[in-house]
Amino acid sequence: MAGGFVRIGLAVGNSWALAYERAPELAVIVTPETCLGFMCLLAIVLIPLVRMEFSIVALTAAPPTKNEVEEICAEVAAEFALSARESEILLLIARGHTTSSMADKLVISPYTVNTHIRHIYDKMQIHKRSELLNYLNMQRSDF
């Protein structure tokens, strides 16, 4: 996709150069406006491409190791003063466990797990599981 933008830019630039070469008086009048227009167009095109690059990097990054996940969860637990049980649940969430699998693993009620998850969300001021996982992944990029 980026190669296509480069080719289009080269073609348009060469076309404008040939037109300006044949009509130099037009080039003097139109060049500042043309340059400004192309700079604005370039900015409009580049902003989505840069945003897309962050998504591509996140998708192609190697999955976190078990130690990385444990370190990140320990740091987050310390930062937000999570209890020991909340820290355990945070780690299990980061590893991809569901509420029922956490309840089975910790031998507690799924309702208790949900209560701890709500406490984690309240302390971290997060509203959804996806936000929590995004936060943990952003912490991973700091390593």
Side-chain angles (χ1 to χ4, degrees):
M1 186 169 173
F5 286 124
V6 170
R7 288 186 181 104
I8 289 171
L10 288 172
V12 169
N14 286 334
S15 299
W16 279 101
L18 289 173
Y20 286 167
E21 192 174 281
R22 293 195 177 151
E25 61 282 346
L26 178 67
V28 172
I29 298 169
V30 180
T31 301
E33 291 81 7
T34 305
C35 289
L36 182 61
F38 280 125
M39 285 190 287
C40 292
L41 181 66
L42 184 63
I44 290 170
V45 168
L46 283 180
I47 290 171
L49 287 176
V50 170
R51 288 183 180 162
M52 201 180 332
E53 180 183 350
F54 292 121
S55 301
I56 291 170
V57 168
L59 289 173
T60 58
T65 64
K66 189 175 181 179
N67 290 337
E68 272 184 322
V69 172
E70 289 174 0
E71 287 178 37
I72 291 167
C73 288
E75 286 180 12
V76 169
E79 179 182 350
F80 293 100
L82 301 180
S83 69
R85 181 61 77 168
E86 291 167 349
S87 299
E88 285 179 292
I89 290 175
L90 178 67
L91 182 60
L92 292 173
I93 290 171
R95 290 184 180 163
H97 288 269
T98 63
T99 301
S100 58
S101 69
M102 285 187 265
D104 292 341
K105 190 170 188 74
L106 299 173
V107 192
I108 57 176
S109 160
Y111 301 109
T112 306
V113 172
N114 281 330
T115 301
H116 286 299
I117 291 172
R118 275 196 307 265
H119 291 167
I120 293 169
Y121 290 173
D122 287 343
K123 289 179 180 180
M124 294 180 69
Q125 296 180 351
I126 288 179
H127 306 291
K128 297 186 291 191
R129 182 185 184 102
S130 59
E131 290 178 18
L132 175 64
L133 294 175
N134 284 339
Y135 181 82
L136 294 175
N137 285 329
M138 292 303 293
Q139 296 301 329
R140 179 174 176 234
S141 66
D142 292 341
F143 274 81

